[in-house]
Amino acid sequence: MSSTNTHKRVSNDEILYLMQNASLKELGLRANQIRDSLHSDKTITFVIDRNINYTNACWVDCKFCAFKRRLGEEGVYVLSFAEIDSKIDELLEIGGTQILFQGGVHPKLKIEWYEELVSHIHTKYPQITIHGFSAVEIHYIAKISKISVQEAILRLQKAGLSSIPGAGAEILSDRVRDIIAPKKLDTKQWLHIHEEAHKLGMKGTATMMFGSVENDEDIIEHWQNIRDLQDKYNGFRAFILWSFQPDNTPLKGEFPHIQRASSNRYLRLLACSRIYLDNFVNIQSSWVTQGPYIGQLALLFGANDLGSTMMEENVVSSAGACHSMNQAEMIKLIKDLGYKPAKRDTAYEVLKYY
Ligand code: SF4
């Protein structure tokens, strides 16, 4: 059960002060209090889904990415419809309800290819929700197809796309983006694509990747950008933050001093997200990058959702994060904290309590 956040809105100066001065315990208590006021029935949700990375071909060259391949490079692939179908069949066997469908940004595929693909999945598996195509993919699909962003979203929506993941946001500060992903869409463009989707009634999620070259002010700029947009359309269903995974990435080569972010930093930022993002009902724990036990602790630092079982994950595992968890383990971790585990759908509606 969720209700409206009645806590007083926190300013940028206030959150900066908390980030830099509050104790970990204080942040956790404050974030948890807000979470409990929004989710008063003590339910912690999770979703059974599967990442399907339909291609790893990508021209964008983000420096933090160990997943992408250039066309013609060894290991580059585009999944066939039959391969995608067999992955969805496996997902259905374990009671899955959603596919997180994302690729690299393929330099040649146009809107017609995506429409056919989405329509194929939606027609064959109407019970599966397609949560797919990040802002960077949609931006490029529109550009290469010489159509507007609005038309690209509408056509994909008509074909069966339900929701847009927040990937590609990294840090929504152009100072940071210019360093870590100079070819990627800028802050304004990322926000514009989500705004267009929200206007068309297509909801999505917002994400943040920290732990590269950003400072605290950049993080607050990111939070402010998404909080402002959420004030306008309430189109983000959840916020998810994860830490940069440096292994095998060009960014680590360029900035060798960058280390994997600590669990302490993750929990502090998670709690501050809950405190600042007062118009987000759902905040996910990122056990995929943090491991199951920090993922569990995140539920005491403001998160109300344990995310997904992640039947298949290729992007952060390419960069060194290799955690896994099944439904039974998730239920156990939630019960261990005295909360009620529940399987949910993409819209955060509870499907089943355990
Ligand atoms: S993060 Fe995504 S857009 Fe960036 S290089 Fe990797 S696959 Fe391409």
Side-chain angles (χ1 to χ4, degrees):
M1 179 178 299
S2 62
S3 55
T4 311
N5 189 343
T6 52
H7 292 78
K8 184 177 158 286
R9 176 155 280 194
V10 168
S11 71
N12 291 3
D13 286 345
E14 285 167 327
I15 200 68
L16 182 64
Y17 181 84
L18 289 175
M19 285 167 86
Q20 297 181 345
N21 297 286
S23 69
L24 182 65
K25 185 177 171 189
E26 185 186 341
L27 290 176
L29 284 172
R30 192 159 163 180
N32 225 28
Q33 199 183 34
I34 297 171
R35 196 277 313 279
D36 284 347
S37 71
L38 287 166
H39 301 273
S40 54
D41 66 351
K42 295 266 179 192
T43 297
I44 297 287
T45 47
F46 61 88
V47 66
I48 309 286
D49 81 348
R50 173 169 201 156
N51 253 20
I52 299 183
N53 299 116
Y54 58 89
T55 182
N56 62 352
C58 189
W59 60 268
V60 182
D61 290 332
C62 300
K63 294 181 195 168
F64 55 83
C65 180
F67 169 70
K68 54 149 194 291
R69 294 285 180 277
R70 287 294 185 118
L71 281 187
E73 196 179 330
E74 197 186 336
V76 71
Y77 70 82
V78 178
L79 294 181
S80 67
F81 285 16
E83 286 170 314
I84 291 169
D85 288 356
S86 75
K87 286 176 187 290
I88 298 175
D89 288 336
E90 286 172 5
L91 175 65
L92 286 173
E93 276 172 30
I94 61 159
T97 59
Q98 169 184 288
I99 53 172
L100 173 52
F101 203 64
Q102 295 185 111
V105 185
H106 193 290
K108 293 193 172 157
L109 298 176
K110 294 187 180 169
I111 185 73
E112 291 77 14
W113 186 87
Y114 291 93
E115 277 179 311
E116 198 185 334
L117 175 63
V118 172
S119 175
H120 164 78
I121 297 170
H122 186 56
T123 307
K124 188 162 179 188
Y125 303 100
Q127 68 275 51
I128 289 289
T129 304
I130 307 171
H131 175 53
F133 307 119
S134 63
V136 58
E137 287 159 279
I138 290 173
H139 176 76
Y140 188 70
I141 293 168
K143 187 173 168 197
I144 192 176
S145 310
K146 298 189 170 46
I147 57 176
S148 67
V149 162
Q150 189 189 44
E151 184 181 339
I153 297 170
L154 261 176
R155 286 171 66 169
L156 292 171
Q157 190 177 32
K158 206 168 159 209
L161 180 67
S162 283
S163 139
I164 297 181
E170 325 333 336
I171 295 286
L172 291 169
S173 152
D174 288 337
R175 187 195 77 78
V176 176
R177 302 180 81 74
D178 287 348
I179 299 170
I180 67 174
K183 295 188 201 166
K184 212 169 201 167
L185 74 186
D186 65 19
T187 298
K188 213 169 141 196
Q189 290 167 322
W190 189 95
L191 291 165
H192 170 68
I193 284 161
H194 281 269
E195 181 160 5
E196 288 300 311
H198 297 175
K199 278 196 222 166
L200 294 169
M202 184 173 305
K203 299 217 172 204
T205 55
T207 64
M208 180 176 98
M209 183 194 78
F210 72 96
S212 65
V213 300
E214 81 284 345
N215 58 34
D216 288 350
E217 284 79 6
D218 298 318
I219 287 175
I220 294 171
E221 186 181 338
H222 179 102
W223 284 331
Q224 180 170 9
N225 278 322
I226 58 172
R227 189 172 77 173
D228 287 351
L229 182 53
Q230 184 76 330
D231 275 343
K232 286 164 89 175
Y233 301 101
N234 196 32
F236 293 123
R237 286 192 171 114
F239 174 72
I240 308 129
L241 86 156
W242 61 75
S243 53
F244 168 51
Q245 303 298 309
D247 295 358
N248 311 318
T249 66
L251 195 63
K252 175 72 179 169
E254 198 173 320
F255 299 94
H257 68 278
I258 296 178
Q259 299 297 323
R260 196 177 296 269
S262 67
S263 304
N264 177 286
R265 176 77 171 157
Y266 169 71
L267 292 172
R268 292 182 69 84
L269 289 182
L270 178 71
C272 288
S273 305
R274 179 55 96 184
I275 295 165
Y276 187 88
L277 296 174
D278 53 14
N279 49 10
F280 280 70
V281 174
N282 300 299
I283 294 189
Q284 277 187 25
S285 150
S286 176
W287 66 264
V288 178
T289 58
Q290 302 302 315
Y293 297 115
I294 297 298
Q296 181 194 32
L297 266 187
L299 302 175
L300 299 177
F301 282 78
N304 65 293
D305 186 275
L306 201 45
S308 143
T309 47
M310 286 280 179
M311 190 172 174
E312 179 180 8
E313 203 297 315
N314 300 303
V315 178
V316 298
S317 58
S318 305
C322 301
H323 302 294
S324 67
M325 197 158 37
N326 62 31
Q327 177 174 313
E329 288 163 324
M330 289 179 121
I331 291 171
K332 196 168 160 215
L333 291 181
I334 295 167
K335 284 190 171 169
D336 187 35
L337 295 176
Y339 288 102
K340 271 192 298 192
K343 178 163 117 172
R344 66 161 170 88
D345 62 13
T346 310
Y348 284 77
E349 296 295 332
V350 169
L351 300 173
K352 184 177 175 184
Y353 286 100
Y354 294 89

PDB file of all heavy atoms in Angstrom, residues 42 45 48 53 59 130 132 140 160 171 200 212 229 241-242 271 286 290 305 307 331-333:
ATOM      1  N   LYS A  42       4.285  -2.478   5.127  1.00  0.00           N
ATOM      2  CA  LYS A  42       5.527  -3.255   5.293  1.00  0.00           C
ATOM      3  C   LYS A  42       5.773  -4.240   4.146  1.00  0.00           C
ATOM      4  O   LYS A  42       6.428  -5.264   4.328  1.00  0.00           O
ATOM      5  CB  LYS A  42       5.507  -4.023   6.611  1.00  0.00           C
ATOM      6  CG  LYS A  42       5.505  -3.143   7.846  1.00  0.00           C
ATOM      7  CD  LYS A  42       6.921  -2.953   8.319  1.00  0.00           C
ATOM      8  CE  LYS A  42       7.032  -2.075   9.521  1.00  0.00           C
ATOM      9  NZ  LYS A  42       8.381  -1.665   9.813  1.00  0.00           N
ATOM     10  N   THR A  45       8.529  -5.379  -2.460  1.00  0.00           N
ATOM     11  CA  THR A  45       8.189  -6.064  -3.702  1.00  0.00           C
ATOM     12  C   THR A  45       9.433  -6.496  -4.475  1.00  0.00           C
ATOM     13  O   THR A  45      10.552  -6.040  -4.220  1.00  0.00           O
ATOM     14  CB  THR A  45       7.344  -5.132  -4.594  1.00  0.00           C
ATOM     15  OG1 THR A  45       7.973  -3.838  -4.624  1.00  0.00           O
ATOM     16  CG2 THR A  45       5.936  -4.998  -4.082  1.00  0.00           C
ATOM     17  N   ILE A  48       9.695 -10.647 -11.315  1.00  0.00           N
ATOM     18  CA  ILE A  48      10.400 -11.730 -12.010  1.00  0.00           C
ATOM     19  C   ILE A  48      10.526 -11.298 -13.465  1.00  0.00           C
ATOM     20  O   ILE A  48       9.529 -11.242 -14.193  1.00  0.00           O
ATOM     21  CB  ILE A  48       9.618 -13.068 -11.956  1.00  0.00           C
ATOM     22  CG1 ILE A  48       9.215 -13.409 -10.527  1.00  0.00           C
ATOM     23  CG2 ILE A  48      10.443 -14.188 -12.587  1.00  0.00           C
ATOM     24  CD1 ILE A  48      10.324 -13.878  -9.654  1.00  0.00           C
ATOM     25  N   ASN A  53      19.214  -8.463 -23.906  1.00  0.00           N
ATOM     26  CA  ASN A  53      20.016  -7.478 -24.639  1.00  0.00           C
ATOM     27  C   ASN A  53      20.020  -7.929 -26.094  1.00  0.00           C
ATOM     28  O   ASN A  53      20.801  -8.795 -26.473  1.00  0.00           O
ATOM     29  CB  ASN A  53      21.430  -7.400 -24.059  1.00  0.00           C
ATOM     30  CG  ASN A  53      21.419  -6.972 -22.591  1.00  0.00           C
ATOM     31  OD1 ASN A  53      21.821  -7.719 -21.710  1.00  0.00           O
ATOM     32  ND2 ASN A  53      20.913  -5.786 -22.315  1.00  0.00           N
ATOM     33  N   TRP A  59      27.440   2.194 -31.403  1.00  0.00           N
ATOM     34  CA  TRP A  59      28.420   3.179 -31.891  1.00  0.00           C
ATOM     35  C   TRP A  59      28.744   4.246 -30.844  1.00  0.00           C
ATOM     36  O   TRP A  59      29.581   5.112 -31.069  1.00  0.00           O
ATOM     37  CB  TRP A  59      27.890   3.875 -33.157  1.00  0.00           C
ATOM     38  CG  TRP A  59      26.594   4.612 -32.921  1.00  0.00           C
ATOM     39  CD1 TRP A  59      25.340   4.106 -33.099  1.00  0.00           C
ATOM     40  CD2 TRP A  59      26.419   5.956 -32.424  1.00  0.00           C
ATOM     41  NE1 TRP A  59      24.393   5.050 -32.744  1.00  0.00           N
ATOM     42  CE2 TRP A  59      25.036   6.194 -32.329  1.00  0.00           C
ATOM     43  CE3 TRP A  59      27.306   6.966 -32.061  1.00  0.00           C
ATOM     44  CZ2 TRP A  59      24.510   7.407 -31.882  1.00  0.00           C
ATOM     45  CZ3 TRP A  59      26.772   8.181 -31.604  1.00  0.00           C
ATOM     46  CH2 TRP A  59      25.398   8.390 -31.531  1.00  0.00           C
ATOM     47  N   ILE A 130       6.564  -5.471 -21.954  1.00  0.00           N
ATOM     48  CA  ILE A 130       7.844  -5.074 -22.559  1.00  0.00           C
ATOM     49  C   ILE A 130       8.253  -3.721 -21.981  1.00  0.00           C
ATOM     50  O   ILE A 130       7.629  -2.685 -22.249  1.00  0.00           O
ATOM     51  CB  ILE A 130       7.737  -4.994 -24.095  1.00  0.00           C
ATOM     52  CG1 ILE A 130       7.168  -6.302 -24.659  1.00  0.00           C
ATOM     53  CG2 ILE A 130       9.112  -4.695 -24.710  1.00  0.00           C
ATOM     54  CD1 ILE A 130       6.830  -6.245 -26.148  1.00  0.00           C
ATOM     55  N   GLY A 132      11.200  -1.488 -22.246  1.00  0.00           N
ATOM     56  CA  GLY A 132      12.388  -1.515 -23.100  1.00  0.00           C
ATOM     57  C   GLY A 132      12.747  -0.207 -23.769  1.00  0.00           C
ATOM     58  O   GLY A 132      11.964   0.749 -23.795  1.00  0.00           O
ATOM     59  N   TYR A 140      18.151   7.698 -31.013  1.00  0.00           N
ATOM     60  CA  TYR A 140      18.823   7.342 -32.267  1.00  0.00           C
ATOM     61  C   TYR A 140      17.860   6.696 -33.276  1.00  0.00           C
ATOM     62  O   TYR A 140      17.973   6.935 -34.476  1.00  0.00           O
ATOM     63  CB  TYR A 140      20.004   6.409 -31.982  1.00  0.00           C
ATOM     64  CG  TYR A 140      20.841   6.178 -33.227  1.00  0.00           C
ATOM     65  CD1 TYR A 140      21.626   7.198 -33.761  1.00  0.00           C
ATOM     66  CD2 TYR A 140      20.801   4.960 -33.890  1.00  0.00           C
ATOM     67  CE1 TYR A 140      22.364   7.006 -34.914  1.00  0.00           C
ATOM     68  CE2 TYR A 140      21.539   4.751 -35.055  1.00  0.00           C
ATOM     69  CZ  TYR A 140      22.320   5.780 -35.561  1.00  0.00           C
ATOM     70  OH  TYR A 140      23.045   5.583 -36.712  1.00  0.00           O
ATOM     71  N   GLY A 160       3.377  -2.359 -29.009  1.00  0.00           N
ATOM     72  CA  GLY A 160       3.301  -3.162 -27.788  1.00  0.00           C
ATOM     73  C   GLY A 160       4.276  -2.790 -26.692  1.00  0.00           C
ATOM     74  O   GLY A 160       4.328  -3.461 -25.660  1.00  0.00           O
ATOM     75  N   ILE A 171      24.815  10.177 -14.977  1.00  0.00           N
ATOM     76  CA  ILE A 171      24.610  11.378 -14.164  1.00  0.00           C
ATOM     77  C   ILE A 171      24.090  12.468 -15.103  1.00  0.00           C
ATOM     78  O   ILE A 171      24.725  12.774 -16.108  1.00  0.00           O
ATOM     79  CB  ILE A 171      25.929  11.838 -13.510  1.00  0.00           C
ATOM     80  CG1 ILE A 171      26.429  10.799 -12.504  1.00  0.00           C
ATOM     81  CG2 ILE A 171      25.749  13.206 -12.840  1.00  0.00           C
ATOM     82  CD1 ILE A 171      25.671  10.713 -11.200  1.00  0.00           C
ATOM     83  N   LEU A 200       2.755  11.071 -23.461  1.00  0.00           N
ATOM     84  CA  LEU A 200       1.956  10.104 -24.219  1.00  0.00           C
ATOM     85  C   LEU A 200       1.389   9.008 -23.316  1.00  0.00           C
ATOM     86  O   LEU A 200       0.840   8.019 -23.791  1.00  0.00           O
ATOM     87  CB  LEU A 200       2.819   9.457 -25.314  1.00  0.00           C
ATOM     88  CG  LEU A 200       3.280  10.402 -26.422  1.00  0.00           C
ATOM     89  CD1 LEU A 200       4.337   9.757 -27.300  1.00  0.00           C
ATOM     90  CD2 LEU A 200       2.073  10.817 -27.274  1.00  0.00           C
ATOM     91  N   SER A 212      31.794   7.388 -10.836  1.00  0.00           N
ATOM     92  CA  SER A 212      32.810   7.609 -11.881  1.00  0.00           C
ATOM     93  C   SER A 212      33.547   8.921 -11.562  1.00  0.00           C
ATOM     94  O   SER A 212      34.372   8.944 -10.640  1.00  0.00           O
ATOM     95  CB  SER A 212      32.181   7.593 -13.273  1.00  0.00           C
ATOM     96  OG  SER A 212      31.272   8.667 -13.449  1.00  0.00           O
ATOM     97  N   LEU A 229      11.037  16.944 -13.300  1.00  0.00           N
ATOM     98  CA  LEU A 229      10.209  16.314 -14.334  1.00  0.00           C
ATOM     99  C   LEU A 229       9.075  15.510 -13.688  1.00  0.00           C
ATOM    100  O   LEU A 229       7.935  15.525 -14.181  1.00  0.00           O
ATOM    101  CB  LEU A 229      11.073  15.402 -15.237  1.00  0.00           C
ATOM    102  CG  LEU A 229      10.341  14.720 -16.389  1.00  0.00           C
ATOM    103  CD1 LEU A 229       9.576  15.711 -17.261  1.00  0.00           C
ATOM    104  CD2 LEU A 229      11.317  13.927 -17.262  1.00  0.00           C
ATOM    105  N   LEU A 241      19.392   3.439  -8.338  1.00  0.00           N
ATOM    106  CA  LEU A 241      20.769   3.899  -8.508  1.00  0.00           C
ATOM    107  C   LEU A 241      21.713   2.723  -8.368  1.00  0.00           C
ATOM    108  O   LEU A 241      21.448   1.783  -7.619  1.00  0.00           O
ATOM    109  CB  LEU A 241      21.139   5.000  -7.524  1.00  0.00           C
ATOM    110  CG  LEU A 241      21.650   4.662  -6.136  1.00  0.00           C
ATOM    111  CD1 LEU A 241      22.463   5.838  -5.616  1.00  0.00           C
ATOM    112  CD2 LEU A 241      20.497   4.419  -5.197  1.00  0.00           C
ATOM    113  N   TRP A 242      22.753   2.754  -9.152  1.00  0.00           N
ATOM    114  CA  TRP A 242      23.768   1.714  -9.048  1.00  0.00           C
ATOM    115  C   TRP A 242      25.129   2.333  -9.207  1.00  0.00           C
ATOM    116  O   TRP A 242      25.268   3.469  -9.657  1.00  0.00           O
ATOM    117  CB  TRP A 242      23.542   0.578 -10.049  1.00  0.00           C
ATOM    118  CG  TRP A 242      23.566   0.969 -11.490  1.00  0.00           C
ATOM    119  CD1 TRP A 242      24.648   1.272 -12.248  1.00  0.00           C
ATOM    120  CD2 TRP A 242      22.423   1.092 -12.353  1.00  0.00           C
ATOM    121  NE1 TRP A 242      24.251   1.576 -13.532  1.00  0.00           N
ATOM    122  CE2 TRP A 242      22.913   1.456 -13.618  1.00  0.00           C
ATOM    123  CE3 TRP A 242      21.048   0.902 -12.177  1.00  0.00           C
ATOM    124  CZ2 TRP A 242      22.058   1.656 -14.694  1.00  0.00           C
ATOM    125  CZ3 TRP A 242      20.208   1.096 -13.256  1.00  0.00           C
ATOM    126  CH2 TRP A 242      20.721   1.475 -14.490  1.00  0.00           C
ATOM    127  N   ALA A 271      19.943   6.457   0.696  1.00  0.00           N
ATOM    128  CA  ALA A 271      19.129   7.134   1.716  1.00  0.00           C
ATOM    129  C   ALA A 271      18.855   8.585   1.306  1.00  0.00           C
ATOM    130  O   ALA A 271      17.725   9.077   1.425  1.00  0.00           O
ATOM    131  CB  ALA A 271      19.838   7.073   3.062  1.00  0.00           C
ATOM    132  N   SER A 286      19.699  -2.051  -5.406  1.00  0.00           N
ATOM    133  CA  SER A 286      20.470  -2.564  -6.542  1.00  0.00           C
ATOM    134  C   SER A 286      21.393  -3.693  -6.095  1.00  0.00           C
ATOM    135  O   SER A 286      22.609  -3.534  -6.015  1.00  0.00           O
ATOM    136  CB  SER A 286      21.289  -1.435  -7.171  1.00  0.00           C
ATOM    137  OG  SER A 286      22.097  -1.948  -8.205  1.00  0.00           O
ATOM    138  N   GLN A 290      25.555  -4.488  -5.890  1.00  0.00           N
ATOM    139  CA  GLN A 290      26.016  -4.430  -4.495  1.00  0.00           C
ATOM    140  C   GLN A 290      26.144  -5.793  -3.830  1.00  0.00           C
ATOM    141  O   GLN A 290      26.747  -5.903  -2.766  1.00  0.00           O
ATOM    142  CB  GLN A 290      25.041  -3.572  -3.659  1.00  0.00           C
ATOM    143  CG  GLN A 290      24.874  -2.154  -4.160  1.00  0.00           C
ATOM    144  CD  GLN A 290      26.179  -1.404  -4.225  1.00  0.00           C
ATOM    145  OE1 GLN A 290      26.977  -1.466  -3.303  1.00  0.00           O
ATOM    146  NE2 GLN A 290      26.437  -0.734  -5.331  1.00  0.00           N
ATOM    147  N   ASP A 305      11.801  -1.903  -2.756  1.00  0.00           N
ATOM    148  CA  ASP A 305      11.683  -2.907  -3.813  1.00  0.00           C
ATOM    149  C   ASP A 305      13.049  -3.535  -4.025  1.00  0.00           C
ATOM    150  O   ASP A 305      14.062  -2.819  -4.040  1.00  0.00           O
ATOM    151  CB  ASP A 305      11.211  -2.218  -5.111  1.00  0.00           C
ATOM    152  CG  ASP A 305      10.935  -3.209  -6.218  1.00  0.00           C
ATOM    153  OD1 ASP A 305      11.886  -3.586  -6.937  1.00  0.00           O
ATOM    154  OD2 ASP A 305       9.774  -3.623  -6.361  1.00  0.00           O
ATOM    155  N   GLY A 307      13.936  -5.113  -6.636  1.00  0.00           N
ATOM    156  CA  GLY A 307      14.277  -5.197  -8.053  1.00  0.00           C
ATOM    157  C   GLY A 307      13.872  -6.532  -8.635  1.00  0.00           C
ATOM    158  O   GLY A 307      12.825  -7.071  -8.304  1.00  0.00           O
ATOM    159  N   ILE A 331      12.887 -13.788  -1.291  1.00  0.00           N
ATOM    160  CA  ILE A 331      11.831 -13.888  -0.269  1.00  0.00           C
ATOM    161  C   ILE A 331      12.459 -14.050   1.113  1.00  0.00           C
ATOM    162  O   ILE A 331      12.049 -13.410   2.094  1.00  0.00           O
ATOM    163  CB  ILE A 331      10.887 -15.067  -0.608  1.00  0.00           C
ATOM    164  CG1 ILE A 331      10.076 -14.719  -1.860  1.00  0.00           C
ATOM    165  CG2 ILE A 331       9.973 -15.417   0.559  1.00  0.00           C
ATOM    166  CD1 ILE A 331       9.266 -15.863  -2.437  1.00  0.00           C
ATOM    167  N   LYS A 332      13.494 -14.877   1.176  1.00  0.00           N
ATOM    168  CA  LYS A 332      14.158 -15.121   2.459  1.00  0.00           C
ATOM    169  C   LYS A 332      14.785 -13.831   3.010  1.00  0.00           C
ATOM    170  O   LYS A 332      14.644 -13.508   4.193  1.00  0.00           O
ATOM    171  CB  LYS A 332      15.244 -16.190   2.229  1.00  0.00           C
ATOM    172  CG  LYS A 332      15.756 -16.813   3.488  1.00  0.00           C
ATOM    173  CD  LYS A 332      16.593 -18.040   3.151  1.00  0.00           C
ATOM    174  CE  LYS A 332      17.488 -18.335   4.341  1.00  0.00           C
ATOM    175  NZ  LYS A 332      18.771 -18.834   3.986  1.00  0.00           N
ATOM    176  N   LEU A 333      15.458 -13.088   2.159  1.00  0.00           N
ATOM    177  CA  LEU A 333      16.104 -11.843   2.611  1.00  0.00           C
ATOM    178  C   LEU A 333      15.076 -10.822   3.100  1.00  0.00           C
ATOM    179  O   LEU A 333      15.302 -10.101   4.076  1.00  0.00           O
ATOM    180  CB  LEU A 333      16.933 -11.223   1.472  1.00  0.00           C
ATOM    181  CG  LEU A 333      18.197 -11.980   1.055  1.00  0.00           C
ATOM    182  CD1 LEU A 333      18.911 -11.232  -0.060  1.00  0.00           C
ATOM    183  CD2 LEU A 333      19.141 -12.178   2.233  1.00  0.00           C
TER     184      LEU A 333
END
